[in-house]
Amino acid sequence: MSKPTPLSGFPELLPEQRFVEQQVVDTLRRTFELHGFAGIETRAVEPLDQLLRKGDTSKEVYLLRRLHEESAEGHAGLGLHFDLTVPFARYVLENAGKLEFPFRRYQIQKVWRGERPQEGRYREFTQADIDIVGRDVLPFHHDVEVTRVMVDALSRLTFLPGFRLQVNNRKLIQGFYAGLGIASGDATDEVMRVVDKLDKLPVDRVRSMLVEEAGVDEKTADRVLSLATIRAADDSFVEAVRALGVEHELLDEGLAELAELVTACAGLVTDRVRVEADLSIARGLDYYTGTVFETRLDGYESLGSICSGGRYDALASDGRTTYPGVGISLGLSRVLVTLASRTGLAADRKVPSAVLVAVTDEASRSDSEAVATALRERGIPCEVSANAQKFGKQIRYAERRGIPFVWFAQEDGTHQAKDIRSGEQVAADPAAWSPPEEDLRPRVLRSSTTDVQEKKQ
């Protein structure tokens, strides 16, 4: 077999990188469950008519050819899900009679998207979503709760750089535009679509697009951009918006909701964590109806948003009952694969083993296995040496894997454990000895991001 060629857009992690991913997933799961969210997993395949119902995403969907051709359920075809929101909406509708509302769910799962691979954008990747869904109504305080939960979760990932969660409200935007005379829904959506490009294009270019593509006059374009430039870490943005002289009932509602959310998150702000109102955030998807989120890592702004979402009042409906919700999605692969590539983010050893039990000779291997069994029974990860080589070679075997301790059986029946980093060797009893707590599991190494980034540039 010839050497395989890597597939672009399908990242695979080395063991020491995979450990970091597992630690992140465990941290997120524990945090979400601390806040009362239940974990679910949905199937990887959805009917194409469901995947495509929220706009033209046909270029993003991977078809399953055999199922596509032989589907027995009468669907026009089946494809892999490209996010976790569409399958979650379907899951709620199918299981509404068995769920308690408001239903609080988290979901950490792979998704597939057929886009051009680049840093932070992959064809197969892992997302972590949380949502709260109600039946017919969902009070606004759940928007605040979802924000606080995700800020809490991100704050616990201490290896991350600082981050900034930016929040806006579609009611505020739509009310402001209506106050300017942009009345139709299509016109409002087009203006928001253009404004959403402010993080990628110069202001002058966006202004030209507002006039040429969205069809607003130059004065209106300037006022639209005046709103989009407002940012604040507290509720002072309310007065800044009022100063623009636009009045509308929906604008008032959006301002009040956004002010409540930013104020409620003030106690979570630290040197690493900021929550701010950013009135340029619009989110391109048409199902958002209120709060919208985006999150950016300090020093990695080129990645765009790593954590996004918002309020949707009618994403799921069976014609009789509507299920409004609010949610936010973290792009795990976008963050972890990028940090692994740029900074060397990884665990400090390639294997989970804290101890390598040396083998004196093959005849005594069963004795070494017995030691390993005794250590494992007390929760100490270990492995037995693969070969009965000279002890120096067995120590080097442990060094290459990052295993901190090597265990030796003595001729008199006693045992010793050696810290191969310091050279310290002590008497040890398989039924009582334990490594220090910090050595029991691999630790995440935080490399100097600045040096690596500067070399990249």
Side-chain angles (χ1 to χ4, degrees):
M1 179 179 178
S2 61
K3 185 176 180 179
T5 302
L7 281 177
S8 178
F10 295 85
E12 294 179 320
L13 301 177
L14 294 171
E16 58 269 34
Q17 298 167 335
R18 170 65 173 159
F19 176 82
V20 178
E21 183 181 58
Q22 290 175 313
Q23 288 289 93
V24 169
V25 169
D26 288 345
T27 299
L28 294 175
R29 177 183 54 77
R30 285 194 301 268
T31 306
F32 297 155
E33 290 179 357
L34 278 173
H35 290 269
F37 285 72
I40 69 166
E41 181 172 288
T42 55
R43 66 196 186 210
V45 176
E46 298 290 337
L48 276 181
D49 57 351
Q50 293 297 308
L51 291 173
L52 303 181
R53 69 192 178 95
K54 284 294 179 181
D56 181 17
T57 54
S58 57
K59 294 180 181 179
E60 296 182 349
V61 176
Y62 281 101
L63 299 180
L64 299 185
R65 183 171 299 279
R66 182 170 182 178
L67 291 177
H68 181 66
E69 294 173 350
E70 301 179 11
S71 172
E73 288 81 13
H75 298 299
L78 298 171
L80 296 173
H81 59 227
F82 57 84
D83 68 6
L84 299 179
T85 303
V86 172
F88 176 55
R90 187 264 312 156
Y91 179 93
V92 169
L93 289 176
E94 285 189 11
N95 296 284
K98 304 172 185 177
L99 301 175
E100 294 295 326
F101 293 94
F103 176 49
R104 307 150 66 82
R105 87 72 155 96
Y106 74 87
Q107 190 171 347
I108 303 173
Q109 201 172 332
K110 283 190 179 295
V111 299
W112 295 266
R113 191 169 297 175
E115 60 183 355
R116 183 173 65 85
Q118 54 186 295
E119 184 180 59
R121 293 187 178 276
Y122 309 108
R123 291 169 171 167
E124 179 182 68
F125 53 98
T126 301
Q127 287 189 186
D129 285 24
I130 56 172
D131 286 83
I132 303 177
V133 174
R135 179 181 277 132
D136 291 324
V137 295
L138 186 73
F140 177 76
H141 66 78
H142 291 296
D143 294 45
V144 176
E145 182 178 13
V146 162
T147 312
R148 290 177 58 89
V149 172
M150 188 56 81
V151 169
D152 183 16
L154 291 174
S155 298
R156 293 170 188 258
L157 304 179
T158 56
F159 64 85
L160 287 181
F163 64 90
R164 176 167 45 104
L165 192 149
Q166 304 155 289
V167 62
N168 198 3
N169 194 295
R170 293 283 284 262
K171 296 176 186 177
L172 188 162
I173 303 171
Q174 292 167 331
F176 187 87
Y177 293 172
L180 292 177
I182 305 172
S184 75
D186 289 344
T188 297
D189 289 346
E190 182 63 15
V191 172
M192 277 195 286
R193 183 190 67 79
V194 173
V195 169
D196 207 37
K197 297 180 181 294
L198 276 171
D199 63 337
K200 304 179 184 70
L201 299 175
V203 173
D204 288 346
R205 174 63 182 139
V206 173
R207 184 179 185 275
S208 297
M209 292 173 67
L210 285 170
V211 175
E212 297 166 6
E213 298 179 16
V216 302
D217 58 53
E218 293 186 357
K219 181 179 178 181
T220 301
D222 287 338
R223 300 189 78 182
V224 165
L225 291 172
S226 294
L227 178 74
T229 57
I230 295 174
R231 291 166 179 75
D234 54 27
D235 60 4
S236 62
F237 69 88
V238 175
E239 289 305 314
V241 174
R242 295 296 187 201
L244 298 178
V246 177
E247 295 184 3
H248 194 276
E249 183 179 350
L250 192 59
L251 171 62
D252 295 340
E253 187 177 341
L255 282 171
E257 288 186 352
L258 185 56
E260 180 181 341
L261 191 150
V262 172
T263 301
C265 292
L268 302 177
V269 172
T270 66
D271 291 342
R272 289 183 58 246
V273 180
R274 282 106 59 219
V275 178
E276 67 176 34
D278 184 331
L279 305 197
S280 69
I281 303 300
R283 303 293 296 144
L285 298 174
D286 59 5
Y287 54 71
Y288 290 123
T289 56
T291 305
V292 284
F293 313 98
E294 290 191 353
T295 310
R296 286 172 170 78
L297 286 182
D298 295 344
Y300 295 85
E301 287 78 9
S302 62
L303 282 179
S305 179
I306 60 135
C307 185
S308 308
R311 156 76 68 144
Y312 43 89
D313 283 333
L315 185 64
S317 176
D318 60 9
R320 300 182 305 275
T321 305
T322 298
Y323 299 91
V326 59
I328 189 166
S329 174
L330 169 64
L332 277 188
S333 300
R334 171 172 288 197
V335 175
L336 296 180
V337 176
T338 300
L339 290 180
S341 172
R342 288 204 201 180
T343 74
L345 178 71
D348 63 351
R349 55 189 193 242
K350 299 175 182 294
V351 295
S353 307
V355 180
L356 175 72
V357 181
V359 177
T360 304
D361 52 50
E362 289 301 331
S364 64
R365 178 172 290 278
S366 61
D367 296 334
S368 298
E369 294 285 0
V371 170
T373 298
L375 294 174
R376 291 174 188 136
E377 285 176 348
R378 294 189 296 109
I380 300 171
C382 61
E383 58 186 272
V384 176
S385 182
N387 298 293
Q389 300 172 312
K390 292 181 179 180
F391 285 157
K393 289 187 176 181
Q394 294 187 54
I395 290 172
R396 286 193 289 276
Y397 176 94
E399 285 176 335
R400 289 195 300 272
R401 287 156 178 76
I403 302 172
F405 292 92
V406 177
W407 189 282
F408 300 102
Q410 307 299 304
E411 291 182 0
D412 61 2
T414 62
H415 301 265
Q416 292 193 341
K418 179 172 184 166
D419 185 334
I420 63 175
R421 300 161 299 184
S422 66
E424 181 182 8
Q425 188 163 323
V426 299
D429 180 350
W433 177 90
S434 292
E437 182 67 27
E438 63 269 20
D439 290 325
L440 196 57
R441 298 286 184 271
R443 291 174 294 174
V444 175
L445 294 176
R446 290 186 291 175
S447 301
S448 172
T449 59
T450 303
D451 291 343
V452 178
Q453 282 179 272
E454 287 176 350
K455 290 176 185 175
K456 286 275 185 183
Q457 294 169 355

